Amino acid sequence: MIEGTFEVVGARAALTYFGALGPAGLSHGYLFTGPAGVGKKRFARALAQSLLCETPKSTLLGYCNACAGCTLFRAGTHPDFVATEGTVKIGKDGGSAQHDEELTARDLVRELSLRGYRSAYRVVLLGDVDFATHEAANALLKFFEEPPGGVVVLLTTSSPGTLLATIRSRFVEIGFPPLGTAEVESVLRAGGVEAARARLAAEASFGSITRARAVLEGADEGIRSASFGWFAEAMRGHTPDHGFLRLDDRSLNAADKRALVGEMLEIVRIAARDWAALGAGADVPLLAPDQRALLAALPQRTPQAAATLLAAIAETTKLAETNVSAGLVVDYLRMQLGA
Ligand SMILES: [Zn+2]
């Protein structure tokens, strides 16, 4: 189905969708949603290279890695590929040096108005996009009013609920599920991580390359163990400190804080699932076997109460994908657990 190379992991829905798509069916905008570290940007880059590859192919996915288009792409200098990460702000006149690495709405309007220079396509990748203002979001809406031929915008986000409904509805939305442990392990191994460490990190990753890398760097231990501790305290009806989420840290933007809370929610979900399994005496492997003692010591509840609790966590995860503030999400979750 794919001609040439196409190196991605996971991305099952995206592979199915684009694998069945001809050039005529290509939309002007795609929104890739899913947790951090499951390959959204990696897929978007591979899709971009496929579109800009100059070797004739009968499929949309796949690139040769050898033509001039691929060479420029790999060097990061292809004139028809623009990639940026993070917040889109309203445009300001030249002066504000402190934000000069951030895309402004004016930059976005300009990038979206150009046609392909050497390729039939022009690909604009907005990774982990966060529109700081309605004006910034409107820059994108203008594009959809009259999109130049061949221009494709790829957005990735782990919190699609924060996008304006008017923006979201313009995009073809494709979900990226968590990776399998073996997939995470293979990516780590391909990156040169030694076998035993790769396996351990993959097991602690809950399907996210980002989390696996954090485990390898030891950076994950902070939020992981703090989240398990927070869960245990909240389950006892206490009000545990959530300073580890850095909600008052002004050096973090709203998207960073949402990512931290999303991370904590994911760990709480695992903790609750393991706690419920222990309470039911279910003979299933724990997702976090290293936390067995902590979770087994927590008071058990009736099966129905345990089910209600798991549902409340799922509901909180949905809430966290909206514009509700991270602090309120954490308070809401604590009240659900302590009930
Ligand atoms: Zn090529």
Side-chain angles (χ1 to χ4, degrees), residues 17 31 40 50 55 81 103 105 133 155 177 183 230 242 296 301 315:
Y17 173 88
L31 175 62
K40 299 186 297 294
S50 298
T55 300
F81 179 61
L103 188 72
T133 59
L155 298 194
E183 286 172 322
W230 185 92
H242 57 256
R301 300 183 189 173
E315 195 185 317

Coordinates of all heavy atoms in Angstrom, one line a residue, residues 17 31 40 50 55 81 103 105 133 155 177 183 230 242 296 301 315:
Y17 N -6.6 5.8 7.1 CA -7.2 6.9 6.4 C -6.4 7.3 5.2 O -6.9 7.3 4.0 CB -7.4 8.1 7.4 CG -7.9 9.3 6.6 CD1 -9.3 9.5 6.5 CD2 -7.0 10.3 6.1 CE1 -9.7 10.7 5.8 CE2 -7.5 11.4 5.5 CZ -8.8 11.6 5.3 OH -9.3 12.7 4.6
L31 N -6.5 17.5 11.8 CA -6.2 17.7 13.2 C -5.9 16.3 13.8 O -6.7 15.4 13.8 CB -7.5 18.3 13.8 CG -7.5 18.4 15.4 CD1 -6.4 19.4 15.8 CD2 -8.8 18.9 15.9
K40 N 2.1 11.7 17.0 CA 1.3 12.6 16.1 C 2.2 13.4 15.2 O 2.0 13.5 14.0 CB 0.4 13.5 17.0 CG -0.6 12.8 17.9 CD -1.5 13.8 18.6 CE -0.8 14.7 19.6 NZ -0.2 14.1 20.7
S50 N 6.2 12.8 2.5 CA 5.6 12.0 1.4 C 5.0 13.0 0.3 O 5.2 12.7 -0.9 CB 4.4 11.2 2.0 OG 4.9 10.2 2.9
T55 N 9.7 11.8 -6.2 CA 9.7 10.5 -7.0 C 8.3 10.1 -7.2 O 7.5 10.1 -6.3 CB 10.4 9.4 -6.2 OG1 11.8 9.8 -5.9 CG2 10.4 8.1 -6.9
F81 N 7.8 23.5 3.3 CA 7.4 22.9 4.6 C 7.7 23.9 5.7 O 8.8 24.4 5.9 CB 8.2 21.6 4.8 CG 7.9 21.0 6.1 CD1 6.6 20.5 6.4 CD2 8.9 20.8 7.1 CE1 6.3 19.9 7.6 CE2 8.6 20.2 8.3 CZ 7.3 19.7 8.6
L103 N 5.3 31.9 16.8 CA 4.6 32.2 15.6 C 3.6 33.3 16.0 O 2.8 33.1 16.9 CB 3.9 31.0 15.1 CG 3.3 31.1 13.7 CD1 4.4 31.2 12.6 CD2 2.4 29.9 13.4
A105 N 0.2 35.6 14.7 CA -1.0 35.4 13.8 C -0.6 36.0 12.4 O -1.0 35.4 11.4 CB -2.2 36.2 14.4
T133 N -5.1 33.8 21.3 CA -6.2 34.8 21.2 C -7.1 34.4 20.1 O -6.8 33.6 19.3 CB -5.6 36.2 20.8 OG1 -5.0 36.1 19.6 CG2 -4.7 36.7 21.9
L155 N -2.5 20.2 12.2 CA -2.4 20.6 13.6 C -2.3 19.3 14.4 O -3.0 18.3 14.2 CB -3.7 21.3 14.0 CG -4.2 22.5 13.4 CD1 -5.3 23.1 14.3 CD2 -3.1 23.5 13.3
P177 N -4.1 6.7 19.2 CA -4.2 6.1 20.5 C -2.8 5.9 21.1 O -1.8 6.0 20.4 CB -4.8 4.7 20.1 CG -4.4 4.5 18.7 CD -4.3 5.8 18.0
E183 N 5.8 -1.4 20.9 CA 6.1 -0.3 20.0 C 7.0 0.8 20.6 O 8.0 1.3 20.0 CB 4.8 0.4 19.5 CG 4.0 -0.4 18.5 CD 2.6 0.1 18.2 OE1 2.0 0.7 19.1 OE2 2.2 0.0 17.0
W230 N -0.4 11.6 45.6 CA -1.6 12.5 45.6 C -2.8 11.7 45.6 O -3.8 11.9 46.3 CB -1.5 13.5 44.4 CG -2.5 14.5 44.4 CD1 -2.5 15.8 44.9 CD2 -3.8 14.4 43.8 NE1 -3.6 16.4 44.7 CE2 -4.5 15.6 44.0 CE3 -4.5 13.4 43.1 CZ2 -5.8 15.8 43.6 CZ3 -5.8 13.6 42.7 CH2 -6.4 14.8 42.9
H242 N -0.7 19.9 45.7 CA -0.4 19.6 44.3 C 0.6 20.5 43.7 O 0.6 20.8 42.5 CB -1.7 19.6 43.4 CG -2.5 20.8 43.5 ND1 -3.6 21.0 44.2 CD2 -2.3 22.0 42.9 CE1 -4.1 22.2 44.1 NE2 -3.3 22.9 43.3
A296 N -2.6 -1.2 47.8 CA -3.2 -2.2 48.6 C -3.6 -1.7 49.9 O -4.5 -2.2 50.6 CB -2.3 -3.5 48.7
R301 N -13.7 -0.1 48.5 CA -15.1 0.3 48.4 C -15.9 -0.7 47.7 O -15.3 -1.7 47.2 CB -15.2 1.7 47.6 CG -14.4 2.8 48.3 CD -14.5 4.1 47.6 NE -13.5 5.1 48.1 CZ -13.3 6.3 47.6 NH1 -14.0 6.7 46.6 NH2 -12.4 7.1 48.2
E315 N -14.5 11.1 33.3 CA -15.2 12.3 33.1 C -14.2 13.5 33.3 O -14.2 14.5 32.6 CB -16.3 12.4 34.1 CG -17.4 13.4 33.8 CD -18.4 13.4 35.0 OE1 -18.8 12.3 35.4 OE2 -18.8 14.5 35.4

